[in-house]
Structures are given as C-alpha cells and as structure tokens.
C-alpha cells in the first residue's frame, strides 16, 4: 500500500449560515456545525483510504467562537495520522468577515474514522507521511491522543502508554 501525504486528503467545505440553522441568539447550532464537520471528515478519510469510512468517535470539539447568521463558514479537514484501520482527522473551522474577507479561526475538532469493507469489517489503510511543521506536530500528538483514549476505555494498560508517560517523566 502506497503511503500518502495529508494534503491528499484535504477537504474544504464552504457554506453560509442560514436562518433555519441558528439558535435563538442567531448563531449556528452546534449540532449543525458537528454535522458539517462530520461530512468533511468523512470525505477526508475516504480520500486517504479510498474505502468506505465510518465515524468511530468525536475525540475533541472546541466551540471557541459563535458563528453568526449570514456568516461564510469554511470547514477544512485533513487526515492527521493513519493507524492500522483508523484515521485521525483534524478539522479547522473558519469564519470570514463579510466586509474585509479576513478569515478567523472559530473552532476545531478531531474525529476518528475507520475504513471498512463492504461487510463492515475494518480494513487496513495507507500510512501517512506528514510534510509541514503543523502536520508533523499533529501527527505526533495523534499517538498520544490515541493512547489516552485507549487507556480511558480500559483497552490499554497505562504502563504501556509510552508516548503519554513521556509527557510526565
């Protein structure tokens, strides 16, 4: 299986915030943003694996800024690390100032997707080779995040989480 680079999975979704997608404060519903991020992450995972992919978990979501009605919202998704059958997808959410066009980061999230065959059985995915400093940083941190998730789920002994232990020793 040929290794891939994060840029090959880059997915960019841009859309407007419409009245039916807002809460009483005229800001985008969090659930609507989660759905947009899930779609972008799904496409990024599919681009990397070239397989059917399913959402395994939403590992992290930060709603740092509200997104007002009428905003132009851009969700950028890219595979940050590929494991055996799973892929971590890092998402950045940007809002664009209507007058200046300046983009501001509003939110971010980390999803995990698993590639499956036609019967739903997990299937191996290509290795990921990060290139930029940001990609390398996200790649390295992904292993710590995975180990933490496995420890918290009781699927890994904390003593075996070497990347996590290295943070504290």
């Amino acid at each position: 299986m040929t290794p891939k680079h994060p840029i090959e999975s880059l997915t960019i979704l841009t859309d407007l915030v419409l009245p039916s997608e807002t809460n009483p404060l005229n800001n985008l519903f969090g659930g609507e943003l989660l759905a947009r991020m899930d779609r972008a992450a799904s496409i990024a995972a599919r681009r990397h694996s070239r397989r059917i992919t399913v959402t395994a978990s939403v590992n992290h979501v930060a709603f740092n800024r509200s997104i007002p009605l009428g905003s132009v919202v851009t969700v950028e998704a890219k595979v940050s690390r590929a494991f055996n059958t799973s892929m971590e997808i890092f998402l950045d959410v940007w809002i664009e100032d209507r007058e200046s066009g300046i983009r501001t980061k509003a939110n971010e999230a980390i999803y995990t997707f698993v590639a499956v065959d036609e019967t739903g059985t997990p299937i191996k995915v290509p290795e990921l080779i990060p290139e930029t400093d940001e990609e390398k940083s996200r790649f390295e941190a992904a292993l710590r995040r995975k180990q933490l998730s496995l420890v918290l789920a009781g699927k890994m002994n904390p003593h075996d989480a070497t990347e996590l232990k290295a943070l504290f020793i």
Side-chain angles (χ1 to χ4, degrees), residues 17 24 33 48 57 71 76 78-79 87 95-96 98 113 149 152:
V17 176
L33 180 58
H48 180 79
S57 65
S71 295
E76 296 179 0
K78 206 175 352 176
V79 174
M87 296 154 280
I95 53 176
E96 184 178 316
R98 288 172 260 186
F113 275 72
S149 292
L152 292 174

Side-chain angles (χ1 to χ4, degrees), residues 65-89:
R65 294 188 84 174
S66 57
I67 301 175
L69 173 66
S71 295
V72 173
V73 180
T74 300
V75 178
E76 296 179 0
K78 206 175 352 176
V79 174
S80 50
R81 184 141 187 174
F83 295 97
N84 188 31
T85 61
S86 67
M87 296 154 280
E88 181 188 89
I89 318 298

Side-chain angles (χ1 to χ4, degrees), residues 6 48 78-83 86-90 113 125-128 135-136 138-145 163:
H48 180 79
K78 206 175 352 176
V79 174
S80 50
R81 184 141 187 174
F83 295 97
S86 67
M87 296 154 280
E88 181 188 89
I89 318 298
F90 205 102
F113 275 72
V125 299
E127 178 186 349
L128 186 79
E135 290 168 355
K136 289 174 184 174
R138 289 178 175 180
F139 179 88
E140 291 170 11
L143 183 55
R144 292 188 294 273
R145 286 189 288 271
E163 292 295 316

Side-chain angles (χ1 to χ4, degrees), residues 146-160:
K146 181 172 181 156
Q147 287 184 353
L148 178 60
S149 292
L150 291 171
V151 168
L152 292 174
K155 296 179 180 179
M156 176 183 253
N157 184 317
H159 298 290
D160 297 331

Side-chain angles (χ1 to χ4, degrees), residues 91-116:
L91 298 108
D92 295 301
V93 179
W94 303 88
I95 53 176
E96 184 178 316
D97 183 82
R98 288 172 260 186
E99 294 180 20
S100 70
I102 295 172
R103 290 180 0 140
T104 304
K105 188 169 177 179
N107 303 294
E108 66 181 25
I110 300 169
Y111 282 51
T112 298
F113 275 72
V114 173
V116 297

